[in-house]
Amino acid sequence: MTYRIGFIGTGDPDGEGFAMAYRHASGYQRLDDCEIVACADIVAENANVFAAAHDVPDQHVYESYEAMLESANPDVVSVCVPPGAHADIVTDVAESGVPAAVHCEKPMALTWGEARRMAAVCASEGVQLTINHQLRFGRPYREAKRLLEEGTIGDLVRVEFQEQTLYDNGTHSFDLVNYFNDQRPVEWVLGQVDYTEENTLFGAHNENQAVVQWRYDNGVYGLASTGRGASYTDVAFRLFGTDGVVEIDDDGGLSYRQDGGSWQPVDTGPDRRYQPEPGTLRRGTEVVARKVSERVADRVGVTTYTERAVEDVVSALRSGGTSPLDAEFALDADELIFAAWESARRRGRVDLPLDVDDNPLESMVDSGALTPEPTTAAD
């Protein structure tokens, strides 16, 4: 079977965003059983440029995603629009009865209620919903998980991370620490934020600084620091065990130290914190292969984390299995984000499951409880 792939939101590769549709597309193009057949973007020029780059027929280039679903009949839809539009689009796509799977960019949704609605609707419609937490496929994180599973540092006691924000970037970090702790449920969250200067990313508010503590039901604690105070946690990730510690540094370098021993580096190949960085020899091999065939070059070259994520999404669809990017795992990460902001709103600890539907940070800004100064002067 060949899976027909459609895109909602193509973006502009020369614009301010990441144009994640192009990164998803390179993942599908590597797979023999996937064909990119359609795209939709409310900016017609963006859709046309994407279509030209990926050989999408003119008749399947749309401004309306509803028209794309009706006419192009895709099996898989990648949703690469800003997070505020995720929930409505994903639920519309699922309820259309057209695709079998939706692969959506992160963060999952703008509010906690919308995130739960996305997952619930897709589950009820029998549509596979995955969220692009692609860092799960990076070797620094896979190897750190292997060290934990092998008992290299004993039993896990505490997980720590630093990030720019809890939401836009932190969704990856919360997802990873949940992965390190086997997706155990969280009992409570305690957080505080500073938001004195406006920080909107892709239409969503993000704090300037935060510190968050939480506890899993197996007794493992979590600690996160972001923004101006990110360096309080002085590595990207630190995993404390009963017999040692594992660290992932800001560049993705992985090492561990057993109690009483010295630091031991772990080889992760070309993989770094956010993406692979292949060496000169591998890059040269890819250049030569590309002169023969783009598909051969894609097979020879080092795959990006997003390409690996897309391959896993399609593999799960083929087999009927559960992807590590499943919406239920993404909900676990989202709940920690919104619970941290809710703790700041309540000025106290929040017990889970989280019993709000809104985005607490956005609601505090809208109510005037937080009054961040604009980063640019009004016209």
Side-chain angles (χ1 to χ4, degrees), residues 31 39 61 68 136 145 184 233 274 283 296 348 356:
L31 305 177
C39 63
V61 181
M68 183 192 81
R136 282 194 181 225
K145 178 65 169 172
R184 299 294 307 185
T233 304
Y274 298 111
R283 286 198 298 267
V296 170
V356 302

Side-chain angles (χ1 to χ4, degrees), residues 302-325:
V302 176
T303 54
T304 67
Y305 298 168
T306 296
E307 288 170 346
R308 298 173 202 177
V310 166
E311 183 171 2
D312 183 85
V313 166
V314 175
S315 176
L317 183 59
R318 288 192 209 106
S319 67
T322 299
S323 167
L325 307 177

Side-chain angles (χ1 to χ4, degrees), residues 136-151:
R136 282 194 181 225
F137 297 94
R139 283 190 62 189
Y141 314 109
R142 291 291 178 105
E143 289 296 300
K145 178 65 169 172
R146 178 185 62 79
L147 292 172
L148 291 173
E149 291 177 342
E150 292 179 354

Side-chain angles (χ1 to χ4, degrees), residues 188-199:
W188 54 260
V189 178
L190 181 66
Q192 185 55 279
V193 303
D194 173 72
Y195 193 30
T196 51
E197 183 176 297
E198 186 176 75
N199 181 26

Side-chain angles (χ1 to χ4, degrees), residues 36-242:
I36 299 173
V37 299
C39 63
D41 196 294
I42 58 174
V43 179
E45 181 181 356
N46 288 350
N48 288 326
V49 170
F50 180 89
H54 298 96
D55 298 323
V56 176
D58 290 344
Q59 66 268 28
H60 288 320
V61 181
Y62 308 86
E63 292 181 53
S64 160
Y65 70 85
E66 295 93 342
M68 183 192 81
L69 293 171
E70 182 176 352
S71 177
N73 197 35
D75 301 301
V76 181
V77 172
S78 267
V79 176
C80 302
V81 298
H86 285 176
D88 286 344
I89 290 177
V90 168
T91 54
D92 282 353
V93 170
E95 291 173 340
S96 73
V98 176
V102 175
H103 187 47
C104 181
E105 258 307 311
K106 62 82 191 170
M108 189 172 182
L110 188 59
T111 72
W112 178 228
E114 288 177 338
R116 300 198 320 275
R117 176 164 64 93
M118 288 168 62
V121 169
C122 286
S124 67
E125 296 292 335
V127 173
Q128 174 184 290
L129 174 60
T130 49
I131 306 300
N132 196 42
H133 283 135
Q134 73 272 19
L135 298 192
R136 282 194 181 225
F137 297 94
R139 283 190 62 189
Y141 314 109
R142 291 291 178 105
E143 289 296 300
K145 178 65 169 172
R146 178 185 62 79
L147 292 172
L148 291 173
E149 291 177 342
E150 292 179 354
T152 303
I153 61 168
D155 296 328
L156 188 61
V157 173
R158 187 167 78 249
V159 294
E160 297 182 357
F161 72 79
Q162 63 162 257
E163 248 311 346
Q164 296 174 6
T165 65
L166 294 175
Y167 181 71
D168 188 72
N169 312 94
T171 181
H172 281 302
S173 295
F174 277 125
D175 182 64
L176 285 169
V177 293
N178 287 342
Y179 163 64
F180 293 143
N181 195 32
D182 298 327
Q183 297 295 147
R184 299 294 307 185
V186 173
E187 294 180 332
W188 54 260
V189 178
L190 181 66
Q192 185 55 279
V193 303
D194 173 72
Y195 193 30
T196 51
E197 183 176 297
E198 186 176 75
N199 181 26
T200 55
L201 298 168
F202 307 108
H205 289 288
N206 288 263
E207 80 286 340
N208 304 132
Q209 181 177 347
V211 60
V212 185
Q213 185 184 38
W214 65 98
R215 186 181 190 274
Y216 295 96
D217 71 345
N218 61 352
V220 173
Y221 280 88
L223 179 67
S225 53
T226 74
R228 296 166 181 156
S231 59
Y232 174 72
T233 304
D234 57 355
V235 291
F237 293 88
R238 181 177 286 120
L239 313 175
F240 285 97
T242 54

